[in-house]
């Protein structure tokens, strides 16, 4: 039982910052990042469409990390009929966002 407690603690210590980081990045991209942003000496310029897709992708990634690595282990008896559609929807949003961002990276106009 002590090994499970240590394992859960380590999972929380790694999963919470990971999920929080993705979620905050997504919220920042959706709400606060402009088309021209100075960040740590770097200039970040992106179109509003790319910014929205990047924000939604990061937000979906943060929520998916939280659900898969945290909530599923803390509440293992949660209703699968509720959890699975949410996790699949977040996965779909993340992969579609990555596909759009990948197309933009190779030069396909959006």
């Amino acid at each position: 039982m002590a090994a499970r407690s240590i394992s859960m603690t380590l999972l929380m210590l790694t999963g919470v910052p990971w999920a929080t980081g993705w979620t905050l990045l997504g919220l920042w991209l959706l709400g606060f990042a402009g088309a021209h942003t100075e960040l740590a000496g770097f200039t970040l310029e992106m179109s509003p469409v790319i910014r929205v897709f990047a924000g939604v992708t990061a937000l979906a990634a943060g929520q998916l990390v939280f659900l898969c690595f945290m909530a599923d282990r803390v509440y293992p008896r949660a209703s699968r009929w509720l959890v699975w559609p949410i996790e699949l929807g977040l996965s779909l949003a993340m992969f579609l966002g990555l596909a759009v961002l990948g197309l933009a990276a190779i030069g396909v106009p959006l």
Side-chain angles (χ1 to χ4, degrees), residues 49-50 53 57 94-106 108 110:
V49 173
I50 298 297
F53 274 103
T57 302
M94 191 178 73
F95 287 125
L96 286 175
L98 286 173
V100 169
L101 293 173
L103 290 173
I106 61 171
V108 175
L110 297 178

Side-chain angles (χ1 to χ4, degrees), residues 17-104:
W18 186 18
T20 303
W22 278 115
T23 301
L24 290 177
L25 175 65
L27 290 173
W28 179 74
L29 285 167
L30 286 172
F32 301 108
H36 179 83
T37 303
E38 296 273 339
L39 183 64
F42 294 100
T43 302
L44 176 66
E45 292 188 33
M46 65 178 96
S47 72
V49 173
I50 298 297
R51 185 172 50 86
V52 168
F53 274 103
V56 169
T57 302
L59 194 59
Q63 297 308 300
L64 186 65
V65 165
F66 181 78
L67 285 175
C68 289
F69 290 99
M70 308 294 296
D72 284 352
R73 285 169 175 77
V74 174
Y75 301 106
R77 301 181 87 189
S79 169
R80 289 288 131 202
W81 291 102
L82 178 66
V83 172
W84 276 64
I86 294 171
E87 289 177 353
L88 288 174
L90 288 170
S91 297
L92 181 65
M94 191 178 73
F95 287 125
L96 286 175
L98 286 173
V100 169
L101 293 173
L103 290 173

